[in-house]
Structures are given as structure tokens and as C-alpha cells.
Amino acid sequence: MDKPIRKAVRCYLIKDNEVVVTKYKKGNKKEGYYDIPGGKIEEGESPKQTAIREMKEETGIEIQNLKYKGIMTIEYPDRMFIFDTFISKEYEGEPQEFEENTSEWIDIDKLLKKEKILSNIILLDKFLIKGLIDDNRNFNLHIKVDGNKDELITIRCGQELDENNNVRYKLRAICDYEETWVLTQGES
């Protein structure tokens, strides 16, 4: 079965060890969940334009000097999201409250411990955030999510070359609340 694919963006605004997030209000099917600002790419709009618009609409913040970081694919059993991912450290304004969501600065470590976080927040994990905040790195990240339990099944990061020019893939498998990190070699 072919899964429907939705193209969208996510924009990470990070300052010190904090990130701007949205939190869905009562009445939304994702009530109480934390998310990274972003949304669907509208017709005629570039991913960068979408990131700027969505950040303003969801947080009230105007971001500048966005840096494209890569592709994040989140795959559920019945659908798939492909996110163009951006980061910014420059902005004007402060997080605001809206009809559908609130927005706020939150400590990254505290956010990762929250019970209700959407899977795109995993990019802030201490092992993955390097690809997001390092100006010399981009990434290609594929996340599989179990639709029944809404748990992460696997995460595959993009490839890197080691000192011998071998391609390395970083895999993260999450099963029964245990985390296992595996480094394998593959072909480019």
C-alpha cells in the first residue's frame, strides 16, 4: 500500500540550551503535545518562506537568517511526513499564545523528558542535535513510529565519511523503552 506523503517544514529556534516550542490546546487532537513550529508548504511557497510564515503564525516570532539543515522523514504505518528542516538563532519578538496553541521557550533537557512530545523533537536529543546546531553539518534523518503505541521504532541518521572514507550510518533502535546505538558501515 502506498502511503500518503505530506511535504512540510520544521524550524528550530535555539538560544543557549532552550528551544521555542508550541503546545497544543484543548480541543486539538494533539492536545497537550509539544511540537516544533512548522507546517505544510503552500502552493507557490518555498520551504524557507513556509518556515518563516509558520514560525510567525504559531509563535508570533519573526526569524531571520535561517539555515537549511536537511531532510527529516517521519514514517507512520499509514502515512509519511517529509520535513525540510531549518535552524535559526536570530529573531525578533517573544513566544505568544494563540487560539490553537501556546508557544514558549523551554529547556531542551526538560522538553526531552516530557511525556507528550511529537517525534520531530527527538532531533534535540544529545546524540542528534550536533547535526542540527553544527554549521558544518547537514543531515538526512528517517524516523519510524509505531502507530499503535506512538513509540519510536528506529531512527537512521544520514551518512558520514570516517577517516578511511568509509561510509558510516548511525542507527538508533528503540524497543521496550531501551535504547541501543549501533554503528554500521555501508555503501554510499
Side-chain angles (χ1 to χ4, degrees), residues 119-163:
S119 50
N120 59 60
I121 289 175
I122 196 66
L123 193 52
L124 298 169
D125 180 275
K126 66 181 177 180
F127 294 104
L128 300 174
I129 197 170
K130 293 172 188 160
L132 182 64
I133 61 174
D134 186 333
D135 286 339
N136 298 314
R137 293 186 187 195
N138 287 346
F139 61 83
N140 185 349
L141 183 69
H142 190 109
I143 301 170
K144 279 191 169 183
V145 180
D146 179 339
N148 296 325
K149 300 179 204 167
D150 205 27
E151 291 179 353
L152 298 175
I153 299 172
T154 60
I155 298 176
R156 189 176 102 197
C157 295
Q159 56 193 19
E160 293 180 353
L161 294 179
D162 66 14
E163 63 278 355

Side-chain angles (χ1 to χ4, degrees), residues 49-100:
Q49 290 168 326
T50 302
I52 292 167
R53 176 182 55 78
E54 289 286 350
M55 181 65 82
K56 179 72 173 167
E57 288 177 2
E58 294 181 359
T59 70
I61 296 173
E62 293 185 29
I63 49 176
Q64 297 107 26
N65 297 321
L66 270 71
K67 180 168 175 55
Y68 179 78
K69 295 305 297 182
I71 300 288
M72 177 174 40
T73 302
I74 301 178
E75 182 178 354
Y76 292 89
D78 62 342
R79 65 196 183 286
M80 187 179 307
F81 296 90
I82 300 174
F83 296 104
D84 285 303
T85 307
F86 296 86
I87 188 170
S88 179
K89 297 175 186 172
E90 298 179 36
Y91 65 95
E92 288 183 21
E94 289 300 322
Q96 299 174 17
E97 185 170 341
F98 296 90
E99 186 176 327
E100 293 182 7

Side-chain angles (χ1 to χ4, degrees), residues 39-50:
K40 181 181 175 187
I41 300 170
E42 300 292 341
E43 189 173 329
E45 195 174 47
S46 73
K48 185 176 182 178
Q49 290 168 326
T50 302

